[in-house]
Amino acid sequence: MGEAKMNTSPQTQSQAENDNATCRVPDDQRKGFLSVAFVAAGYCICMSGLYTGAAIAFGMSFKNAVIAVIIGNIILSLYGGLVGAAGAKEGVASAMLARHSFGREGSKVIGILLAVVMLGWYAVQVGFFGSTMAALFPGGGFITSKYVAAAWGGILMMLTAYFGYKGLNLLSYVAVPAIGILSVIGMVLAVKGAGGMSEVMNIVPSQPMTIGAAVVSIVGSFAGGAAAQSDITRYAKDAKTSWGGTIFGYLIANSFVILAGYLITAGTGESDLPVAFLSMGLGIAALLILILAQWTTNDNNLYTASLGFANCLPFTKHQIVIVTGVLATIVGAMGLADYFTTWLSLLGVGIPPVAGVIICDYYLLKGQNYEYGPGTKYCKVNIWAFISLIVGAVVGFTVHMGIASINSLVVSMVVYFILMKTVGKSNAGIIGEEIEV
């Protein structure tokens, strides 16, 4: 593997305090399956998953919904699993993985792309949290008013991101079981209120949706997160642990959340999940699910954004979390983020091709062997990596068959492989050289 994974330099302590944002995670800080699985599950368990299930409930039978959910999350598990396993084996985040394919300076562009998209969604989710809290508890007074709720919600989400992987891990150990238990209670009451599972199974969809369309919705909702899976799994003790945690996060946790949203909506006829919980007399459950589901996902958004910026800015990850978190919270609380959700969606199409290039470079071209640390040589910019990214993104935008995010990922992989095996062999388009100090 070249450089050993254990970091024995005098900088080990300071790097650990910085959550190992710009170096390999040392062996003695690696985590087992339970830790990685809970953090991955916390990332996947979010309100958008519940609402995806709610949308599917109006379009297909429960049997078809199960099929779509399994297919969608198998795709996410494979896609995120490849990126995550690379991060685990090398012990680095997504932006650092990009150094070998996009170049040392080129990876800074990738870090900024990841950071801007994730930070933007952080702001959007903060605003959504405030609006939902105000709608859910209109008589709650000052503390649940739209702007105030968004502000304290954003601060909560900043806290765990500030403490890095340890913060995400601690919250996930509490939140994942709590959300699971409350969702099960909601499902049982909703199905019972509808007359039993047989009645839910016989519901005729009012807005028919194909299995393919549902799969597109499921994969598309987490395509960006799967591309940055290594930000979580870099703490896994090995690739096997990473794969297990990733599969648990998507195939188990994400499937559960989507199907919970389906059953609650199908049983109550209410697509607004917090309102559905209130109608069943579960006001406290609605409040906890709203807070915990948003918290466990949005702190990951800020965490990933901070790692992306740490790859290209001369500040510590803690400083980046505080500054960007405060700014994004202000933007989200004021509702300004709603005006650029379209742009975030457009930028998000550029993230799967990044993963495609990294997967191709790591698994197909470099034999799963990356070097990091002092003395490591990188090119400054690999033009072919960026061309592959652009071609993949264009296909994602323009080809309307299949799943846009997967189309863009696969095309970027194929284009990058061809370019590197032909024009890239002579080092044409491989600009400059930079040695890590």
Side-chain angles (χ1 to χ4, degrees):
M1 176 55 69
E3 183 199 6
K5 298 291 193 299
M6 178 69 78
N7 187 345
T8 58
S9 73
Q11 297 179 330
T12 299
Q13 185 62 36
S14 62
Q15 287 285 8
E17 291 172 354
N18 196 37
D19 200 28
N20 302 296
T22 56
C23 70
R24 278 176 160 157
V25 177
D27 288 346
D28 61 354
Q29 295 178 36
R30 297 300 187 101
K31 309 294 181 182
F33 168 75
L34 196 63
S35 173
V36 177
F38 267 74
V39 173
Y43 190 22
C44 293
I45 292 178
C46 58
M47 291 302 293
S48 62
L50 287 169
Y51 279 112
T52 297
I56 293 174
F58 290 107
M60 58 176 50
S61 67
F62 182 69
K63 177 183 176 181
N64 286 344
V66 170
I67 294 172
V69 166
I70 291 175
I71 293 173
N73 283 299
I74 286 176
I75 292 173
L76 286 172
S77 295
L78 291 173
Y79 160 30
L82 287 169
V83 178
K89 190 170 182 180
E90 301 302 330
V92 299
S94 302
M96 283 190 66
L97 278 176
R99 290 182 181 182
H100 285 278
S101 49
F102 288 88
R104 181 64 184 92
E105 299 303 313
S107 72
K108 295 180 180 180
V109 176
I110 301 305
I112 291 172
L113 172 64
L114 285 169
V116 168
V117 172
M118 295 303 179
L119 197 62
W121 285 119
Y122 178 88
V124 170
Q125 293 297 328
V126 165
F128 174 73
F129 179 88
S131 299
T132 307
M133 189 65 71
L136 192 59
F137 301 100
F142 179 76
I143 196 68
T144 60
S145 62
K146 178 179 178 180
Y147 301 116
V148 174
W152 62 257
I155 292 171
L156 276 181
M157 297 162 192
M158 279 177 56
L159 288 176
T160 41
Y162 177 85
F163 289 107
Y165 185 91
K166 291 180 180 178
L168 306 183
N169 201 182
L170 180 61
L171 175 63
S172 296
Y173 276 143
V174 175
V176 171
I179 295 170
I181 292 169
L182 293 171
S183 296
V184 168
I185 293 172
M187 285 189 289
V188 170
L189 291 178
V191 171
K192 184 178 180 181
M197 194 63 193
S198 60
E199 291 296 320
V200 172
M201 295 283 284
N202 292 327
I203 293 176
V204 178
S206 59
Q207 302 167 9
M209 174 188 290
T210 65
I211 291 176
V215 170
V216 169
S217 176
I218 292 163
V219 175
S221 67
F222 247 100
Q229 189 71 15
S230 56
D231 291 355
I232 295 172
T233 58
R234 67 197 178 103
Y235 273 92
K237 65 180 181 181
D238 52 34
K240 182 179 178 180
T241 301
S242 171
W243 274 106
T246 299
I247 291 171
F248 181 85
Y250 290 111
L251 199 55
I252 305 301
N254 201 38
S255 294
F256 168 78
V257 167
I258 294 172
L259 292 176
Y262 179 100
L263 288 173
I264 292 170
T265 292
T268 63
E270 177 58 66
S271 60
D272 192 327
L273 277 306
V275 173
F277 273 90
L278 282 177
S279 69
M280 294 183 288
L282 296 173
I284 297 299
L287 175 63
L288 288 175
I289 286 180
L290 171 63
I291 293 175
L292 294 176
Q294 290 290 90
W295 192 352
T296 56
T297 298
N298 222 19
D299 61 354
N300 271 282
N301 287 336
L302 184 56
Y303 179 69
T304 294
S306 68
L307 291 174
F309 279 133
N311 185 57
C312 53
L313 296 177
F315 304 106
T316 67
K317 192 186 77 68
H318 292 153
Q319 292 169 333
I320 293 170
V321 166
I322 292 172
V323 173
T324 57
V326 168
L327 290 175
T329 296
I330 292 172
V331 170
M334 295 179 68
L336 298 177
D338 295 337
Y339 293 100
F340 53 81
T341 52
T342 300
W343 289 103
L344 288 174
S345 297
L346 293 176
L347 287 172
V349 177
I351 294 182
V354 170
V357 169
I358 291 174
I359 289 170
C360 179
D361 191 73
Y362 187 71
Y363 290 98
L364 302 181
L365 298 177
K366 301 293 176 58
Q368 301 182 51
N369 186 11
Y370 278 177
E371 298 276 346
Y372 291 98
T376 302
K377 292 181 180 180
Y378 308 98
C379 72
K380 288 189 175 181
V381 178
N382 183 350
I383 296 297
W384 310 123
F386 282 98
I387 288 176
S388 303
L389 185 160
I390 293 169
V391 173
V394 169
V395 169
F397 283 125
T398 58
V399 175
H400 302 298
M401 294 176 60
I403 302 170
S405 54
I406 300 304
N407 292 343
S408 62
L409 179 142
V410 172
V411 168
S412 68
M413 286 181 64
V414 173
V415 171
Y416 183 70
F417 184 84
I418 293 173
L419 289 175
M420 290 302 291
K421 284 293 188 179
T422 53
V423 289
K425 288 184 69 174
S426 62
N427 283 334
I430 312 297
I431 301 173
E433 184 180 274
E434 190 167 322
I435 299 177
E436 189 172 344
V437 295

